[in-house]
Amino acid sequence: MSKWIIQGLRTGVKSTRYPRRPEEAAGVTPGLPAAESRWPSPSGAEGAALSCPVGALETSGTRLTADPRRCIHCLRCASGPNPVPWEGGYEWARRTGPADSPLFDRGFDHSLHIRVVDAGACDACLSEIKQLNKPYYNMHRLGLFLTPTPRHADVLLVAGPMTQAMRMPLLKAYEAMPTPRRVMAVGTCALTGCLFGPSFASAGGVGSVLPVDVEVPGCPPPPLAILHGLLLLSSRVKKSDEARETLGEAAP
Amino acid sequence: MMTPAQKAPSALSLDAEAAARWGGALRVSPLPPDGLLLTCDPALLPDLCAWLAGERHYRFATLVTEEREEGWRLRTLFWGREPLWVHVLVEMPLQLTSLPSISDAVHAADWHERETEDLFGLTFTGHPRLGDFILHEEWPEGVNPMRWSFNARVPYIAREVDPQWRPVRIVQAPGAFAMPVGPIFSDTAQASHFLLETVGEDVARTIPRLFYKYRGVEKLAEGEEPAKVLLTAERFSGTSAIAHAWAFCQAVERIAGVDIPPRAQLLRALLAEFERFRHHLAALSDIIHSTGMTVASSQADILEEEALRLAGAWAGHRYLYGQVVLGGVARDWTNEEVEVLAGGVERLAGGLGRLSRRLRFSGSFLDRLEQVGLVSERQARHFGLVGPVARASGVPEDSRVDLPYGPYGSPLKTDIAVEEEGDGYARLRVLVAEALATARLIREGAERLPGGPVRVEVPLCSGEALGWCEAPRGVAFHWVRLDEGGRVARYRLTTPSFTNWHGFHLAAERFAFQDFPIIMATFGLSTAEGDR
Amino acid sequence: MSPAAGFFLLFVLLAGSGALLSALLPDRRVPTGLAWTASLASGVLLLASGAALESGTGFAFPLLRLPVLGTLGFGIDRLSALFLLVTALVFLPASMYSAGYLARYDGRYSLRLYGVLYHLLLLATALTLAGTDLVTFLLDWRLMSVFCMLLVGFENRKQENVRAGYLLLAMTEAGVLAATLGVLFIGGFGASGLDFAALRAAAPHLSQAAAWTVFLLTFFGFSVKAGLLPGSSWLPKAHPVAPAPVSAVLSGCVLNLGIYGIVRVNLDLLPVRYVGEGLVVLIVGSLTALIGILYATIDPDMKRMLAHSSIENMGLVTVGLGAGMVFLASHLPVLAAMGFVVGFYHMANHSLYKSLLFLGAGGVDLRTGTRDMNRMGGLLRVMPYTGLFFLAGALSIAALPPFNGFVSEWLTLQTLLQSAQFGATGVKVVFALCAAALALTAALAVTCFVKAFGMSFLGMARSRPAEQAKELPRSMLWPMGLLAALCLALGLAPTYVIPALDTIVAPLAHGSITEELVPPFFTVGPSGDARYGAGFMKDFHAIGAQVGRGLLPGRGLVVLHPGGEKNPVVFAMSTAYTAVVLVLLLAGLALAVRWATQGRTVRRGLVWDGGVRHLFPDMTYSATGFSNPVRVVFQAIFRPTTQEDTRESVHGHYRTALTRSQREPFVMDRLFLLPLTRLVRGAARLIARPHHSGRVNLYTATVLVTLLVVLIVNWVRP
């Protein structure tokens, strides 16, 4: 037994300093195509937009905009003959409700209990959520806890394209939660259905079943993006739009 | 002088013996490069399959059902030795909707037949457990989503919970009850539901109710371009993206008849082995976590996240999405960059080695794993289990060795980690041994990396072919048929999780409730991969 | 004639005429008639015993004086008055309850017969307790046993019931035969007759070996009737199959007769002399308690579970008595009195809550048609009052404050812990082991009755009858309510019960416990008295031990055992004050919750089930499932013998049935009853077969030889 204690002590602190300080380690995020880029010609922009298999890139003239809600990090636009510029960063979470209203009435800006529901996720999103509970991200230090029962949960964290078979369990979990309660959709599948929906088997996003308060794009969203979403929920970080403007300083 | 009847059956070649046995009832044709196509009537199917599996020791791979204009085509795929592949093809008119079941003789086909019954509406006579499988009790009878007539693109919400539904329970004992687990359970468990039949304390029977995550991947692929389907193949099971992408690409490339440059082949193998390494670290972490060893599981967690960061820094995506493309890999790496990967994996493997040595001397850890979740070799062969689960039960099978593809066999030589006990600890040892072997393979591959292009163009083509890959959880088979327009007409996806969930109950029964999560962790299955 | 004697005579008349009336009434009217006559008779018996206890003198009716046998007759002293009081307290509600319960037998079994037997059982039980000599005692005992057997086998179309009745008769008769031999042994030492007074006078002349013989014969003989090990095999078979009021009476009164026999002989006629005797009683009691509760915990049959629990409680009573006997033999009269008081207290408690629980179980059986707790569930919704009263019984038997079981079990444990005053290490070790066994028993009892209440009354209904059950009629609820109230009262008022029991125990223990257990906080001011110094009283007045003074009679509401200088309080508790605090806390909590949730709407959600589409009752824990961990842990004792595990399958792959039948035969069947039966059968085959030739001469010769042997023995004896 003692050897484990010694081993644990010798390992030291591995946790990221985020949100106090931006995380600068390599490989913590796949990045996203630049939200907006200028192209020399409209045809060049259109050619770049066509390289996206999920229609996340849109053009208006020489301007190319990227919709993070649709992007699945297939890297195809980045590897073509005219690559679209990519940005790092991970503060991608966005609120869907009115911008100025607090997400929780009061007293919810500290600790949150989270019930994770898998609504057909590919396991990568769940794996990244699990990372939050592990030493490198260690969300306990921020007062964020996973709970096995929705009875104790403040936040329902849903991943996956919302398969039809999981609709009823998800609704039951939502019903079982005490109010005030919030729903957070994690991953491109949960936002738009991505490659899987809407179809006969999935509803194409959590929003068609439950009111979503915070969306975290990404396929899968890196742990720091999910953490950002949770902090946003408890009003502990700035709104994502502002955050995104300061991405240059925040991320490598 | 020996008469032909006195000859041992194995002395005859497969096609000769098949012809001798069934004569005109069976059409035998070669299937290049190393296969045989046996076409027969439905009535002959059970005997033929029983002979293949029982006497010729062929392993069941998958069952491909197709609804074509000319009729039903059911192709049962077996693999073995001389020839490597045997396809048993049954064709019958669309009006016929029943054929004999083979799962009596080939038990591994059990779930494939149930799936076909649910999704196509074909009945297998003699199968005692049809229905209520992929489509749960809220799905109306007689609507089969894989039929051509079913429109998969619009939400199908004509669903109602049937109040008359009851689980098929078999335990008859005073005070017996069925303990429900899931579909929403644990902290971050994938959605799956189990009914544990019990009289308290020990699990007498496990009823897995999976497919809560059925996204209809096979159906959604139909009519799409292969390049788009590749994205789905990659993303339906995020923790084994490379393996499924590779298997799908193999199938399409085989149809197109293109040769993949050796550098691309080896880079694919490096990616696949790296994925296996990362997956095994995560599986190890889950096993340790299920036994409640916090420090030890944190140690594994640190290794896992470091592997993820290595992937993110090296390939631009933590789960290696978008790396394998049709015709090769998405980008090239310089030899120095490959060296960085090999070095990084070796460093992590060193950490894993130290962790596993420490675990081997932790009594409280071993107590929870040894003699728990037993699967015998007979059972493993009977249910056709694959991957580390089968290898831990003494089934030395690995498609990298038995069905060599890409660079495996030459230049990459792998050996198979096998354990005999079939308990949780044996599965853990297999995982660790494979992860350590992976690091050696990556080093070997990095040293032998040839020069040349990493991607070739795949022309528009039509036809059908099988691709396969040894995914981290076992072998995956992807059967693809492309229509004249080069779009996917049928995509049959057989995953190791689907295959192994079929035998999961063998391990989970007879043991106490508190062992259930541990047994689940040692099986390390993914419902995303199994449900598709 | 004293009032007690008058009431007793009236009782005999009433019970007798009740039997007669039952025989005359038409079947349909018997239940109501019986309820009136039997409860009237038991009411009068209550008065008789109450009067005898109150006056303290009792009475005696010498009926017959025979030269060898001595004075034969009936009478009541304090000891028998206690047992009669308990008997009356159980018979009264059980009789009232019968009116509603017996309707289920209408047209199937003769209710007239039932009425006659029931009254006669009441009469015989009372007369057994009132016998003042061995002959009347035994005669009434025999009658009582026969009526018990007939009532157990009342549903005589069920083979199981009839067999259980015979087993009861055979085993308890064998036991009482041994006990009779033991008592006769005392008579052999120069007693002038077989009346108790003569035996008492002869007792001091017994040698050590003779005293031990008498003790072993009478203790193990009467212990069969009390359901103690090793002869308790009959109890879990007989008690559950009897009609519910009879089950209540059997467990509530008839078991006590075994205790009465032990106490009458070994404390009154021939008081124990040796520590060893007390240790035997103590060990047998502890083992009985442990084995009893183990089997109760795993049994899914509600009434059989209660029967096993009766074994446990009889064990606890015996532990108290055994500890008292050890203290008595060690010349520690105060502690001896404590042991006896605790034993009697627990006996009375057990009678009350066990009859309450049996009546509740009978009500559930009546409404759901089953005793299998696996098929119950959710009954509290449809039978709220039955559930409430059953809960009161369950809380009492699980020894939770402020109910009566807590008081007596807590005091039993405290009594055992007093063994620290001993010199002998061996005795201390035995006491410590017994205390540990008792603690385990108490913990298992909680498990057992959490299961009993939770699996039957809470959760989802696991069968259709359980779902559609209706509440019992008032005539059946009132008696249960009465018993529940008595359970609570005995729990709240130990400071009144202990002095009352003390008057009974004092002559047996030669010491009094009231002064040692109930400090006079109500009667003595803070200045203290001779026993309790001023400092002591002042301290306790400061924390409010005198609250209620002037409002309530008696000495106080605190049970407290003072020690020496260093350790002024050995143990102390007050269920009354605890209950008040508990009620205040609960009320305060309710108010606080109400205040905190003011103006909020309450949303009632479903039970969180993991999100399954259907939650069926058979997806929730069953009684067997709940207790299975105990079954697994104590496998060495249960030794589940017949475990069939048949698997049927299609093609050898698909299992269609997995049957599992697991039986745990009662450990005493395995270790005692079956070997004994085999031995007796073997002996019978050896001895009886050669003589069963059918020749009259041989039989005559046998009789002659036997007579000769008896004559020779009589002649040789000094």
Side-chain angles (χ1 to χ4, degrees):
Chain A
M1 201 64 239
S2 58
K3 64 186 175 186
W4 288 114
I5 296 169
I6 292 164
Q7 173 72 15
L9 290 173
R10 274 174 50 187
T11 308
V13 177
K14 292 276 184 185
S15 302
T16 173
R17 305 293 293 275
Y18 182 82
R20 193 163 297 164
R21 225 177 283 163
E23 176 62 57
E24 282 164 5
V28 293
T29 171
L32 277 176
E36 196 181 317
S37 54
R38 293 275 170 190
W39 289 70
S41 68
S43 63
E46 258 163 44
L50 279 179
S51 70
C52 182
V54 289
L57 299 175
E58 276 175 26
T59 56
S60 62
T62 58
R63 219 172 62 126
L64 184 76
T65 51
D67 180 5
R69 297 175 77 245
R70 308 195 76 83
C71 178
I72 55 169
H73 311 299
C74 66
L75 305 169
R76 284 186 189 176
C77 63
S79 61
N82 295 313
V84 175
W86 274 54
E87 292 173 341
Y90 41 77
E91 296 197 317
W92 300 338
R94 297 156 66 94
R95 288 165 48 170
T96 55
D100 51 344
S101 68
L103 272 167
F104 278 121
D105 303 351
R106 64 191 153 97
F108 275 92
D109 49 354
H110 293 292
S111 165
L112 288 181
H113 280 74
I114 303 152
R115 172 67 243 185
V116 180
V117 175
D118 168 13
C122 69
D123 204 13
C125 285
L126 290 176
S127 168
E128 295 291 50
I129 294 167
K130 266 190 233 171
Q131 297 303 326
L132 285 178
N133 230 1
K134 294 178 176 180
Y136 265 105
Y137 300 99
N138 186 16
M139 63 178 181
H140 294 172
R141 72 200 155 92
L142 300 167
L144 303 170
F145 304 97
L146 297 179
T147 164
T149 163
R151 279 263 185 268
H152 303 158
D154 308 307
V155 180
L156 200 61
L157 206 156
V158 193
M162 194 62 250
T163 56
Q164 293 290 355
M166 278 307 287
R167 174 193 284 262
M168 186 178 172
L170 179 69
L171 286 174
K172 280 182 107 170
Y174 186 69
E175 278 308 305
M177 286 170 75
T179 48
R181 56 193 161 179
R182 292 294 176 260
V183 178
M184 188 163 139
V186 169
T188 308
C189 289
L191 305 190
T192 61
C194 179
L195 297 160
F196 300 106
S199 75
F200 74 106
S202 43
V206 180
S208 59
V209 176
L210 288 179
V212 175
D213 300 288
V214 168
E215 291 185 336
V216 185
C219 183
L224 289 170
I226 305 169
L227 198 58
H228 176 245
L230 289 167
L231 294 172
L232 191 67
L233 251 185
S234 48
S235 313
R236 285 157 75 183
V237 288
K238 286 177 284 180
K239 286 203 298 275
S240 61
D241 298 331
E242 298 162 31
R244 225 181 141 159
E245 280 163 23
T246 58
L247 268 181
E249 313 131 43
Chain B
M1 197 184 131
M2 282 170 91
T3 61
Q6 285 169 320
K7 278 189 183 174
S10 56
L12 272 176
S13 73
L14 188 83
D15 48 347
E17 195 192 340
R21 277 194 179 224
W22 286 284
L26 195 70
R27 267 184 294 134
V28 184
S29 49
L31 198 72
D34 189 14
L36 210 57
L37 178 70
L38 308 175
T39 314
C40 69
D41 276 347
L44 208 57
L45 196 60
D47 283 350
L48 186 60
C49 293
W51 168 68
L52 274 174
E55 290 177 36
R56 307 294 301 216
H57 304 294
Y58 268 76
R59 293 281 313 272
F60 174 85
T62 180
L63 168 67
V64 186
T65 310
E66 285 185 84
E67 186 193 10
R68 307 271 288 260
E69 275 167 30
E70 58 270 30
W72 294 109
R73 284 166 69 95
L74 280 92
R75 188 187 288 258
T76 316
L77 278 70
F78 292 91
W79 64 269
R81 291 265 158 275
E82 293 171 34
L84 199 57
W85 289 99
V86 175
H87 293 202
V88 179
L89 183 67
V90 168
E91 290 171 316
M92 58 183 200
L94 284 176
Q95 305 85 274
L96 286 185
T97 54
S98 82
L99 70 162
S101 158
I102 64 161
S103 53
D104 176 13
V106 186
H107 195 53
D110 173 20
W111 275 20
H112 290 261
E113 292 185 344
R114 292 182 68 180
E115 183 181 2
T116 305
E117 198 268 349
D118 258 14
L119 301 183
F120 286 93
L122 283 178
T123 316
F124 292 85
T125 50
H127 195 298
R129 286 263 194 284
L130 290 177
D132 195 18
F133 183 59
I134 288 187
L135 308 173
H136 292 165
E137 68 274 12
E138 51 180 16
W139 187 277
E141 284 292 313
V143 181
N144 307 107
M146 284 300 278
R147 299 288 292 257
W148 278 115
S149 52
F150 185 85
N151 184 0
R153 286 288 155 196
V154 294
Y156 186 80
I157 38 181
R159 303 175 182 216
E160 239 173 66
V161 178
D162 178 8
Q164 298 302 314
W165 179 87
R166 287 286 181 283
V168 181
R169 291 188 41 199
I170 62 164
V171 175
Q172 297 157 1
F177 63 103
M179 171 110 155
V181 177
I184 299 174
F185 67 108
S186 176
D187 275 351
T188 49
Q190 295 199 52
S192 53
H193 176 41
F194 302 89
L195 281 171
L196 308 180
E197 279 197 77
T198 176
V199 280
E201 199 67 5
D202 68 317
V203 177
R205 182 199 176 212
T206 309
I207 314 173
R209 301 253 308 146
L210 305 174
F211 306 104
Y212 275 86
K213 294 167 73 166
Y214 175 64
R215 287 150 291 170
V217 171
E218 289 182 4
K219 181 70 177 179
L220 292 180
E222 290 176 3
E224 295 285 349
E225 285 171 13
K228 177 112 188 249
V229 176
L230 172 62
L231 293 175
T232 322
E234 205 168 56
R235 278 166 179 77
F236 82 94
S237 170
T239 48
S240 45
I242 294 288
H244 291 293
W246 191 0
F248 176 78
C249 287
Q250 247 189 60
V252 175
E253 286 154 6
R254 199 161 279 146
I255 295 169
V258 293
D259 281 327
I260 304 303
R263 184 174 177 87
Q265 291 279 34
L266 205 58
L267 282 173
R268 280 180 175 181
L270 291 185
L271 287 164
E273 294 302 324
F274 183 29
E275 180 179 77
R276 187 186 324 282
F277 181 72
R278 197 219 53 233
H279 168 270
H280 285 6
L281 281 179
L284 181 71
S285 153
D286 281 351
I287 294 173
I288 304 173
H289 189 76
S290 72
T291 62
M293 304 256 300
T294 317
V295 178
S297 74
S298 292
Q299 297 291 319
D301 294 341
I302 288 169
L303 294 176
E304 188 200 348
E305 170 66 16
E306 281 173 2
L308 282 167
R309 288 186 177 187
L310 181 59
W314 192 73
H317 195 280
R318 287 155 63 87
Y319 292 85
L320 302 172
Y321 288 0
Q323 308 299 318
V324 174
V325 292
L326 289 171
V329 287
R331 55 171 282 201
D332 199 359
W333 285 272
T334 65
N335 284 4
E336 288 73 39
E337 284 172 329
V338 173
E339 180 55 38
V340 168
L341 175 72
V345 171
E346 267 171 358
R347 195 177 51 77
L348 293 174
L352 171 65
R354 284 192 294 278
L355 177 63
S356 76
R357 274 194 298 280
R358 236 178 241 117
L359 283 173
R360 222 163 38 203
F361 295 104
S362 294
S364 59
F365 176 68
L366 300 184
D367 285 348
R368 306 299 305 270
L369 293 178
E370 282 178 324
Q371 297 298 311
V372 167
L374 287 166
V375 178
S376 70
E377 187 197 336
R378 217 191 112 260
Q379 289 173 322
R381 288 190 185 279
H382 197 65
F383 279 77
L385 302 187
V386 294
V389 173
R391 295 195 275 273
S393 292
V395 180
E397 280 173 355
D398 187 326
S399 63
R400 289 174 295 172
V401 175
D402 298 314
L403 304 166
Y405 57 94
Y408 293 113
S410 108
L412 280 187
K413 289 242 180 303
T414 51
D415 39 37
I416 308 176
V418 188
E419 298 288 346
E420 303 296 329
E421 291 89 341
D423 61 356
Y425 186 45
R427 291 193 278 277
L428 178 94
R429 291 205 306 275
V430 167
L431 285 178
V432 171
E434 282 188 19
L436 296 177
T438 292
R440 286 195 297 277
L441 269 181
I442 291 176
R443 162 63 57 198
E444 202 179 308
E447 279 165 6
R448 298 187 183 181
L449 199 61
V454 295
R455 188 170 181 181
V456 292
E457 202 56 38
V458 177
L460 201 68
C461 52
S462 70
E464 52 192 14
L466 181 77
W468 65 90
C469 182
E470 185 71 17
R473 298 181 184 92
V475 61
F477 297 104
H478 291 230
W479 173 267
V480 179
R481 186 162 62 83
L482 301 178
D483 62 14
E484 282 69 30
R487 287 172 177 268
V488 173
R490 175 79 172 102
Y491 179 30
R492 170 72 178 142
L493 191 48
T494 304
T495 60
S497 287
F498 180 81
T499 312
N500 282 351
W501 274 125
H502 183 210
F504 171 67
H505 67 93
L506 299 170
E509 287 166 9
R510 308 187 304 285
F511 295 99
F513 280 149
Q514 62 265 32
D515 290 333
F516 187 76
I518 297 175
I519 295 168
M520 246 177 107
T522 60
F523 254 66
L525 302 180
S526 156
T527 44
E529 200 186 37
D531 294 359
R532 291 156 294 144
Chain C
M1 200 191 319
S2 69
F7 281 130
F8 192 77
L9 268 185
L10 186 59
F11 157 74
V12 173
L13 281 177
L14 277 172
S17 51
L20 203 63
L21 193 68
S22 297
L24 297 175
L25 279 175
D27 246 19
R28 205 160 32 80
R29 303 236 175 238
V30 168
T32 325
L34 174 139
W36 280 106
T37 51
S39 36
L40 198 64
S42 31
V44 171
L45 183 62
L46 194 65
L47 291 176
S49 50
L53 271 182
E54 176 64 33
S55 66
T57 49
F59 66 90
F61 287 136
L63 290 180
L64 203 60
R65 199 176 173 80
L66 292 174
V68 185
L69 298 177
T71 315
L72 309 185
F74 296 102
I76 301 181
D77 60 0
R78 279 177 179 274
L79 187 63
S80 46
L82 170 70
F83 283 83
L84 281 171
L85 183 80
V86 172
T87 305
L89 276 179
V90 172
F91 261 100
L92 182 65
S95 310
M96 286 155 73
Y97 176 93
S98 296
Y101 186 82
L102 290 179
R104 72 184 309 189
Y105 298 119
D106 194 16
R108 292 193 298 146
Y109 293 101
S110 163
L111 287 178
R112 258 192 261 174
L113 177 67
Y114 178 91
V116 173
L117 289 174
Y118 185 83
H119 282 100
L120 290 180
L121 177 66
L122 170 59
L123 192 60
T125 308
L127 289 180
T128 309
L129 290 168
T132 54
D133 60 289
L134 192 62
V135 178
T136 45
F137 175 78
L138 285 177
L139 208 64
D140 294 327
W141 181 289
R142 289 281 134 79
L143 288 172
M144 181 270 299
S145 286
V146 171
F147 299 142
C148 280
M149 180 204 87
L150 291 172
L151 280 169
V152 164
F154 175 65
E155 291 177 51
N156 54 23
R157 266 170 241 147
K158 293 185 185 156
Q159 193 64 28
E160 178 202 358
N161 299 14
V162 177
R163 285 173 68 104
Y166 279 121
L167 184 66
L168 174 151
L169 190 67
M171 288 192 74
T172 54
E173 279 309 286
V176 88
L177 199 65
T180 311
L181 280 177
V183 180
L184 284 176
F185 218 87
I186 310 178
F189 281 81
S192 58
L194 286 178
D195 53 308
F196 290 155
L199 292 172
R200 204 175 286 130
H205 307 298
L206 261 68
S207 65
Q208 180 175 359
W212 264 100
T213 314
V214 172
F215 163 74
L216 289 177
L217 280 173
T218 53
F219 174 66
F220 284 104
F222 285 123
S223 79
V224 177
K225 187 76 204 174
L228 303 180
L229 298 191
S232 44
S233 294
W234 61 274
L235 203 156
K237 294 188 178 62
H239 282 201
V241 299
V246 177
S247 299
V249 163
L250 287 180
S251 268
C253 316
V254 178
L255 288 184
N256 292 349
L257 291 182
I259 299 291
Y260 175 74
I262 294 168
V263 169
R264 178 60 81 189
V265 177
N266 292 306
L267 290 182
D268 180 25
L269 304 185
L270 173 67
V272 287
R273 298 178 198 165
Y274 310 104
V275 172
E277 295 174 332
L279 288 182
V280 168
V281 177
L282 186 63
I283 291 167
V284 167
S286 317
L287 285 178
T288 306
L290 191 57
I291 294 290
I293 196 62
L294 276 176
Y295 277 87
T297 309
I298 63 159
D299 210 312
D301 182 314
M302 198 182 229
K303 282 175 83 178
R304 198 161 57 221
M305 179 272 292
L306 291 174
H308 279 298
S309 148
S310 289
I311 298 182
E312 175 228 344
N313 278 284
M314 282 297 131
L316 290 177
V317 172
T318 313
V319 166
L321 295 178
M325 289 180 184
V326 173
F327 292 129
L328 186 66
S330 320
H331 307 292
L332 294 164
V334 173
L335 288 182
M338 194 192 288
F340 299 148
V341 164
V342 163
F344 288 141
Y345 202 160
H346 195 75
M347 186 194 76
N349 290 343
H350 169 247
S351 295
L352 293 176
Y353 55 62
K354 189 49 62 66
S355 44
L356 167 59
L357 289 169
F358 263 120
L359 296 186
V364 170
D365 184 9
L366 186 69
R367 285 298 190 240
T368 63
T370 180
R371 303 195 312 246
D372 186 357
M373 286 188 276
N374 287 328
R375 292 171 44 75
M376 296 176 191
L379 289 176
L380 196 62
R381 272 188 292 278
V382 285
M383 304 173 77
Y385 288 102
T386 313
L388 188 73
F389 296 141
F390 193 91
L391 179 64
L395 288 175
S396 307
I397 199 165
L400 293 176
F403 287 90
N404 55 357
F406 166 73
V407 178
S408 48
E409 278 200 40
W410 186 80
L411 283 173
T412 310
L413 254 171
Q414 293 294 356
T415 309
L416 289 191
L417 298 180
Q418 298 312 304
S419 63
Q421 303 188 10
F422 272 107
T425 321
V427 179
K428 272 190 202 167
V429 169
V430 172
F431 267 74
L433 288 177
C434 289
L438 222 63
L440 181 57
T441 306
L444 283 169
V446 176
T447 315
C448 177
F449 282 90
V450 165
K451 177 196 83 169
F453 186 74
M455 294 300 138
S456 325
F457 288 94
L458 304 180
M460 296 167 87
R462 281 187 291 274
S463 69
R464 191 159 283 270
E467 202 180 326
Q468 296 171 344
K470 285 201 297 286
E471 183 55 284
L472 295 174
R474 285 221 184 122
S475 69
M476 294 170 78
L477 289 175
W478 272 113
M480 287 161 65
L482 173 71
L483 284 167
L486 280 172
C487 284
L488 188 61
L490 278 173
L492 289 178
T495 49
Y496 300 93
V497 178
I498 290 172
L501 289 174
D502 194 39
T503 59
I504 300 162
V505 161
L508 305 177
H510 312 294
S512 165
I513 194 68
T514 306
E515 196 64 27
E516 294 296 317
L517 272 185
V518 189
F521 290 122
F522 282 5
T523 51
V524 177
S527 52
D529 62 0
R531 177 71 184 82
Y532 298 95
F536 180 92
M537 292 307 265
K538 221 167 156 182
D539 288 351
F540 274 88
H541 272 72
I543 58 171
Q546 82 291 1
V547 172
R549 185 178 184 174
L551 292 171
L552 294 167
R555 294 167 62 87
L557 291 173
V558 181
V559 174
L560 186 147
H561 184 51
E565 280 288 309
K566 279 193 207 148
N567 181 20
V569 179
V570 178
F571 59 79
M573 63 120 189
S574 169
T575 40
Y577 292 137
T578 312
V580 171
V581 171
L582 212 63
V583 167
L584 287 178
L585 273 179
L586 285 175
L589 195 66
L591 279 178
V593 167
R594 209 169 161 168
W595 176 78
T597 58
Q598 218 171 11
R600 294 199 192 186
T601 49
V602 176
R603 194 163 53 90
R604 279 191 177 276
L606 292 171
V607 175
W608 173 240
D609 49 13
V612 290
R613 292 196 194 93
H614 321 256
L615 185 68
F616 296 119
D618 59 357
M619 288 185 185
T620 59
Y621 253 90
S622 65
T624 310
F626 188 89
S627 58
N628 218 25
V630 175
R631 195 178 280 115
V632 172
V633 170
F634 291 95
Q635 210 155 23
I637 293 174
F638 294 125
R639 296 238 198 111
T641 47
T642 46
Q643 182 166 7
E644 291 164 45
D645 209 347
T646 29
R647 285 158 192 260
E648 297 159 22
S649 60
V650 183
H651 309 320
H653 309 308
Y654 307 97
R655 290 167 298 166
T656 52
L658 201 162
T659 45
R660 194 189 267 197
S661 66
Q662 190 169 334
R663 255 180 233 110
E664 299 85 11
F666 189 46
V667 61
M668 281 302 129
D669 288 6
R670 193 172 71 233
L671 295 182
F672 180 74
L673 184 61
L674 292 181
L676 189 72
T677 318
R678 266 196 294 276
L679 191 76
V680 170
R681 279 211 181 136
R685 208 173 292 129
L686 269 180
I687 299 165
R689 192 165 286 166
H691 300 279
H692 269 287
S693 56
R695 283 162 63 182
V696 180
N697 298 1
L698 203 59
Y699 295 143
T700 323
T702 314
V703 172
L704 195 67
V705 170
T706 314
L707 193 65
L708 273 174
V709 169
V710 170
L711 284 174
I712 291 165
V713 167
N714 254 320
W715 177 63
V716 169
R717 214 189 57 167

